[in-house]
Amino acid sequence: MAVAFDEMNIPGGDLRPAYQELARWLKETPPEALEYRRQEAELLFRRIGITFAVYGDSESTERLIPFDVIPRIMSGKEWALLEKGLKQRVRALNMFLRDIYHGRDILRAEVVPDDLIFQNPVFRPEMNGQQVPHDVYVHIAGIDIVRVDAEDFIVLEDNARTPSGVSYMLENREIMMRLFPDLFARHRVAPVERYPDELLSALRSVAPHSASGEPTVALLTPGVYNSAYYEHSFLADKLGIELVEGRDLVVKNNEVFMRTTEGLKRVDVIYRRVDDDFLDPLTFRPDSVLGVPGLMSAYAAGNITLANAVGTGIADDKAIYSYMPDIVKFYLGEEPILKNVPTWRCREPKDLAYVLDNLSELVVKEVHGSGGYGMLIGPAATKATIEAFREKLKREPEGFIAQPTLALSTCPTCTASGLAPRHVDLRPFVLTGSKSTTIVPGGLTRVALKEGSLVVNSSQGGGTKDTWILDE
Amino acid sequence: MLSRTAENLYWLARYVERAEYLARTIDATLRVTALPAAYVGKTNEWDSALLTAGVAASFYQTYEEANEHNVVDYLSFSVNNPSSIRNCIEAARLNSRSVRTALTSEMWDTINSAWIELQEVWSKGTSTREDLAKFLRFVQETSLRFDGSAYRTMLRNDAYWFSRLRLHLERADNTARILDVKYHVLLPEEEHVGGPLDFYQWSSILRSVSALTAYHWVYRETLKPWLVADLLILNGTLPRSLASCYDNLVRNLDQIGVAYGRQGPAQRHARGIRNRLEHSNMNDIFQHGVHEFIQEFIADNSRLGEIITKQYLI
């Protein structure tokens, strides 16, 4: 495995410019002071209740995501490049989705194979030919980015369904500003606090044409037991919109209403954080109590906007991921600014043969998996695990893709034995409304807290950091 | 406002009020039981604490005897008692989470911090009287902070009014129950009215509704049962009196009615109860029978809760 790119230090001992002030500050600050602030941050997180639930964990139903007090810093120039690449990628994602559910030019041109779409469980035939308001499918995208060297940002994953984590981006910043006012005073950090405003105006801009006057927006949550419930209530609060559960909504004459103390009130836009499968028991899973019976017919009638649209999973599927560079080229006629991780598609015999021969060096992922579950990290796995995985792969090759283990960049991080480099990724949030695509400067930096570990998922013990984009 | 949000706010205020009331009840009971037997007679104060909390029947399903240890445990920490202080705080916190958008951050912070303290400091209950005293203070302070936060930080809109409704319904219910139990169960028939037993019983009632000092300010008299009853039932200046609770209920329901441009059965029913309180005097109530009067009140009060639910919350 290549040596990881160090975000702070240039090999040979010099500091990268963006980190110079932080390094000076760290030199002046005794380790005890850092530890004290870390504890204070944890206390704040607990008191504010910034938690997430871990399913199947009976010990504690709510957990804190560990927070690292050392910010991850990026220069304005680096960010500008990233921002351009992200907007390009999300534009292509939206065009791809529109095409897949309408004309299917890309399939006819044989850029993406048919069966990857039609045999994919996240493809929604209900959306065929369905007009979505303003042709926007992915209103909120969370694109996972890793950095492998000074110039190269690589997209690890496109999250186009119900990406979460933005509350951490916002709360991490709030808590950092409370705990380290002095450090902020020494930097010019681009603010992220506009995000809720941007989100609300994006959501309002995509209201259906049948909405009268100021459109009513609501956030649909599965409820307090959902792992991201904190985020749902946080966003609803910041946006000043109702946080609704399925049971609060009712569909009448193909319009959606919420039950209020003053009677029924029409809803025009739903920022839904409930998965497709659970949205409407009349269309999808009949056993679901999280959704709203009849929601899909109101959607078909064009009386409600769902953000993100139904069926967006087909764009962030790992099987589709490997085609993203071609998808960008096909719709935009441009070279993709952000690279993909080289990916072997196990469904293709040539690729499979290579993967089977090199399992101990590759990361193998389930095409439909998420959150770091069900994957093989070759270099860290035992022989027995690799052999077990080999059998799985042979049985169901189309269910897997493989990628080289990337040398994710590292950032200085507080550990039990002082500051040490740890691997990080970054999830910026891209908003698309009827007129424009915007990104607040920053995102959620996730950090693998164990030495050498590449797993940054919060469900697997990863932590988060505040992400600073310097405004030079 | 979502009906579910209103409902959650409504119950949330009830849990906090209830937790505080239980803490006061335990506190008052401890004071009386600490007196020499000559002052308080042979009645079991712990039994009466269970009665005023309305959980006597369920208590005896688990315990044999109503002694200090068992009753404190049941009212404070028992997971089997749905309205123990612990369960009230747990329920308040769960309710708060599901209506966080309707709460101010100060209110949420109060409940969430109390919940954290409950788990970290009080998860094993209390082992000494000093510990218990600390715990009871913690519960009362939580309720004061919560109320204070609501009062100082909430917008004066329907969310605020709905949360006040349940608080006053609960408070009225508690005051009525404590009067009823003390009046009929505690005071033995043959006991000479105005004797030392009487004095401590009545002072414990007043303590449990935090009105002992108020009594002296209002009446400038020694403790007399009919004056205590007058204070707790009819005196509109005492925040926990039935009259005062109903002034608030009528006002909050009117505010909701005005905001929504519509009055309904809840407004009418509440006004009816208030009018009855306004036109009563202690002579009539004693003639009619205090027990009967209070029983009717408790039924009317809980009926108002049902009407509000039907009118706004479903």
Side-chain angles (χ1 to χ4, degrees):
Chain A
M1 206 170 97
V3 177
F5 175 78
D6 185 329
E7 303 250 356
M8 185 165 178
N9 303 294
I10 297 169
D14 279 352
L15 288 162
R16 287 181 206 286
Y19 278 89
Q20 274 168 2
E21 204 51 57
L22 176 71
R24 243 193 305 268
W25 183 85
L26 282 171
K27 214 177 268 169
E28 298 162 13
T29 308
E32 307 83 66
L34 273 183
E35 173 55 21
Y36 173 70
R37 297 255 178 56
R38 191 192 63 74
Q39 289 175 7
E40 220 176 333
E42 193 178 306
L43 192 72
L44 283 170
F45 273 95
R46 281 198 68 189
R47 280 185 61 158
I48 304 173
I50 310 176
T51 58
F52 77 112
V54 181
Y55 297 122
D57 180 353
S58 58
E59 279 288 290
S60 62
T61 48
E62 286 172 45
R63 263 206 231 155
L64 285 182
I65 297 182
F67 174 65
D68 185 61
V69 293
I70 309 296
R72 182 247 189 99
I73 310 180
M74 221 183 262
S75 74
K77 219 174 102 217
E78 290 167 330
W79 174 255
L81 174 76
L82 201 49
E83 187 181 13
K84 227 171 121 196
L86 287 165
K87 285 183 175 170
Q88 179 195 50
R89 186 135 175 145
V90 169
R91 260 203 321 275
L93 279 173
N94 268 309
M95 293 173 82
F96 173 68
L97 280 159
R98 154 120 187 105
D99 189 28
I100 285 304
Y101 290 114
H102 291 86
R104 298 188 182 137
D105 295 339
I106 199 163
L107 302 186
R108 256 180 289 115
E110 295 184 2
V111 175
V112 174
D114 282 22
D115 66 308
L116 268 193
I117 306 295
F118 299 125
Q119 286 173 30
N120 200 319
V122 293
F123 172 71
R124 297 287 168 204
E126 295 86 355
M127 294 298 289
N128 284 335
Q130 156 92 51
Q131 187 73 32
V132 307
H134 307 272
D135 278 339
V136 183
Y137 283 79
V138 184
H139 309 80
I140 302 109
I143 311 287
D144 290 344
I145 303 276
V146 296
R147 185 173 194 183
V148 291
D149 64 45
E151 261 83 58
D152 280 331
F153 292 99
I154 293 188
V155 176
L156 203 55
E157 209 172 296
D158 302 288
N159 295 286
R161 300 176 214 194
T162 56
S164 60
V166 78
S167 56
Y168 287 93
M169 170 180 92
L170 296 165
E171 292 282 34
N172 286 355
R173 176 63 53 84
E174 284 299 313
I175 284 175
M176 285 295 281
M177 292 184 95
R178 250 167 102 163
L179 296 180
F180 300 95
D182 177 43
L183 191 54
F184 272 93
R186 296 172 174 216
H187 291 85
R188 300 188 73 81
V189 182
V192 289
E193 66 191 38
R194 280 179 55 80
Y195 181 84
D197 269 14
E198 303 260 5
L199 175 59
L200 184 61
S201 54
L203 291 172
R204 283 207 171 132
S205 76
V206 292
H209 303 292
S210 64
S212 55
E214 193 78 326
T216 302
V217 185
L219 194 155
L220 177 64
T221 174
V224 281
Y225 298 107
N226 184 266
S227 66
Y229 180 78
Y230 170 74
E231 175 152 309
H232 305 162
S233 64
F234 172 86
L235 284 175
D237 201 22
K238 295 283 173 206
L239 267 59
I241 61 177
E242 293 291 355
L243 178 64
V244 299
E245 296 179 18
R247 57 189 159 133
D248 297 317
L249 299 178
V250 57
V251 176
K252 280 195 173 165
N253 302 323
N254 285 337
E255 290 181 65
V256 183
F257 297 91
M258 51 188 178
R259 292 179 224 272
T260 78
T261 47
E262 294 174 89
L264 296 180
K265 181 164 194 247
R266 178 171 147 139
V267 180
D268 305 301
V269 181
I270 297 179
Y271 175 20
R272 52 97 172 205
R273 295 293 295 263
V274 168
D275 294 336
D276 287 356
D277 273 341
F278 302 95
L279 270 181
D280 181 350
L282 301 182
T283 306
F284 304 115
R285 287 178 57 157
D287 59 332
S288 166
V289 291
L290 302 176
V292 188
L295 183 61
M296 287 301 286
S297 32
Y299 194 38
N303 286 334
I304 187 87
T305 299
L306 297 177
N308 290 340
V310 173
T312 52
I314 194 67
D316 71 9
D317 192 79
K318 290 193 185 74
I320 300 295
Y321 166 84
S322 64
Y323 295 92
M324 272 312 285
D326 306 319
I327 291 174
V328 171
K329 274 181 246 167
F330 182 79
Y331 292 108
L332 304 174
E334 299 168 7
E335 277 304 310
I337 297 167
L338 300 175
K339 291 183 188 146
N340 252 27
V341 186
T343 301
W344 289 275
R345 302 160 184 152
C346 299
R347 63 198 301 276
E348 292 170 17
K350 210 169 72 215
D351 284 17
L352 177 65
Y354 177 85
V355 172
L356 289 174
D357 284 347
N358 294 280
L359 275 181
S360 61
E361 278 148 38
L362 299 174
V363 177
V364 188
K365 296 175 178 171
E366 281 181 25
V367 167
H368 307 303
S370 69
Y373 289 103
M375 57 195 272
L376 173 79
I377 300 175
T382 62
K383 272 219 166 85
T385 318
I386 290 182
E387 288 318 307
F389 225 89
R390 186 187 304 281
E391 291 312 309
K392 255 170 62 180
L393 261 174
K394 283 186 190 159
R395 253 197 324 272
E396 200 212 339
E398 65 283 358
F400 295 91
I401 55 157
Q403 296 170 335
T405 44
L406 289 183
L408 266 59
S409 65
T410 61
C411 279
T413 300
C414 283
T415 72
S417 47
L419 285 188
R422 290 288 182 267
H423 296 291
V424 293
D425 79 350
L426 173 68
R427 175 179 290 182
F429 295 88
V430 186
L431 297 175
T432 305
S434 64
K435 297 221 166 54
S436 62
T437 300
T438 57
I439 315 175
V440 297
L444 176 65
T445 290
R446 297 185 296 178
V447 52
L449 294 172
K450 265 188 257 155
E451 187 172 359
S453 169
L454 295 169
V455 182
V456 296
N457 299 78
S458 48
S459 52
Q460 317 249 315
T464 71
K465 282 170 170 289
D466 193 11
T467 311
W468 292 9
I469 310 300
L470 297 187
D471 209 345
E472 292 117 333
Chain B
M1 182 174 41
L2 288 180
S3 298
R4 183 174 52 84
T5 306
E7 193 188 358
N8 273 315
L9 283 168
Y10 178 82
W11 288 109
L12 171 57
R14 188 249 178 192
Y15 291 127
V16 177
E17 181 68 18
R18 175 106 192 131
E20 191 204 341
Y21 173 70
L22 291 172
R24 286 186 182 286
T25 302
I26 295 170
D27 200 26
T29 309
L30 279 169
R31 278 176 168 275
V32 175
T33 55
L35 292 167
Y39 291 85
V40 286
K42 284 192 285 292
T43 50
N44 183 352
E45 275 288 337
W46 292 110
D47 248 329
S48 100
L50 290 171
L51 283 167
T52 57
V55 294
S58 61
F59 174 85
Y60 283 108
Q61 284 170 9
T62 321
Y63 298 93
E64 296 267 303
E65 193 198 344
N67 55 30
E68 176 178 335
H69 176 268
N70 292 348
V71 174
V72 165
D73 186 60
Y74 193 68
L75 294 184
S76 303
F77 303 108
S78 172
V79 283
N80 301 320
N81 172 9
S83 60
S84 67
I85 292 174
R86 162 178 295 159
N87 280 334
C88 281
I89 294 178
E90 290 264 352
R93 202 257 180 179
L94 186 61
N95 258 269
S96 300
R97 276 192 86 211
S98 58
V99 291
R100 268 184 74 155
T101 54
L103 297 183
T104 62
S105 56
E106 288 84 352
M107 292 164 81
W108 163 256
D109 187 62
T110 304
I111 292 294
N112 196 43
S113 302
W115 179 75
I116 292 169
E117 180 167 344
L118 188 73
Q119 289 182 319
E120 283 185 349
V121 186
W122 307 109
S123 65
K124 293 202 175 62
T126 54
S127 48
T128 64
R129 279 245 174 95
E130 268 114 52
D131 252 10
L132 179 60
K134 256 189 232 158
F135 173 74
L136 298 176
R137 218 168 26 246
F138 149 70
V139 177
Q140 292 181 44
E141 273 164 14
T142 295
S143 148
L144 284 173
R145 257 185 81 192
F146 184 76
D147 247 16
S149 308
Y151 184 74
R152 298 181 74 128
T153 59
M154 272 183 102
L155 290 174
R156 293 310 192 258
N157 57 15
D158 45 359
Y160 181 74
W161 300 321
F162 275 110
S163 74
R164 298 296 95 179
L165 285 183
R166 188 66 239 186
L167 179 134
H168 289 115
L169 280 172
E170 175 72 19
R171 200 171 276 177
D173 187 63
N174 290 337
T175 301
R177 270 175 206 284
I178 200 168
L179 257 173
D180 198 35
V181 170
K182 295 287 175 182
Y183 206 83
H184 273 268
V185 180
L186 209 84
L187 191 66
E189 301 248 331
E190 68 273 18
E191 189 65 40
H192 172 64
V193 169
L197 169 53
D198 222 20
F199 176 86
Y200 288 105
Q201 304 294 14
W202 287 112
S203 77
S204 96
I205 298 181
L206 289 172
R207 259 184 222 289
S208 61
V209 293
S210 186
L212 185 55
T213 314
Y215 177 94
H216 293 296
W217 277 103
V218 173
Y219 300 101
R220 302 185 184 279
E221 281 248 28
T222 52
L223 293 183
K224 299 204 167 76
W226 52 90
L227 290 182
V228 174
D230 181 67
L231 182 68
L232 294 186
I233 298 174
L234 300 178
N235 192 309
T237 60
L238 181 81
R240 278 167 202 278
S241 72
L242 306 187
S244 163
C245 288
Y246 266 81
D247 283 346
N248 283 303
L249 283 164
V250 168
R251 188 168 52 248
N252 290 329
L253 279 166
D254 279 347
Q255 281 163 322
I256 293 170
V258 169
Y260 294 173
R262 227 181 325 183
Q263 301 269 331
Q267 280 82 6
R268 283 193 293 278
H269 186 75
R271 231 173 277 137
I273 300 176
R274 186 190 55 182
N275 291 346
R276 213 164 321 129
L277 288 167
E278 260 178 7
H279 295 108
S280 300
N281 60 54
M282 273 330 284
N283 267 340
D284 300 341
I285 293 175
F286 275 103
Q287 293 283 312
H288 180 66
V290 175
H291 176 65
E292 288 70 20
F293 179 87
I294 290 175
Q295 285 298 315
E296 278 164 31
F297 176 84
I298 289 174
D300 272 346
N301 190 52
S302 93
R303 175 100 189 94
L304 177 59
E306 290 159 23
I307 296 173
I308 291 171
T309 302
K310 220 158 130 198
Q311 192 171 332
Y312 293 110
L313 307 181
I314 11 181

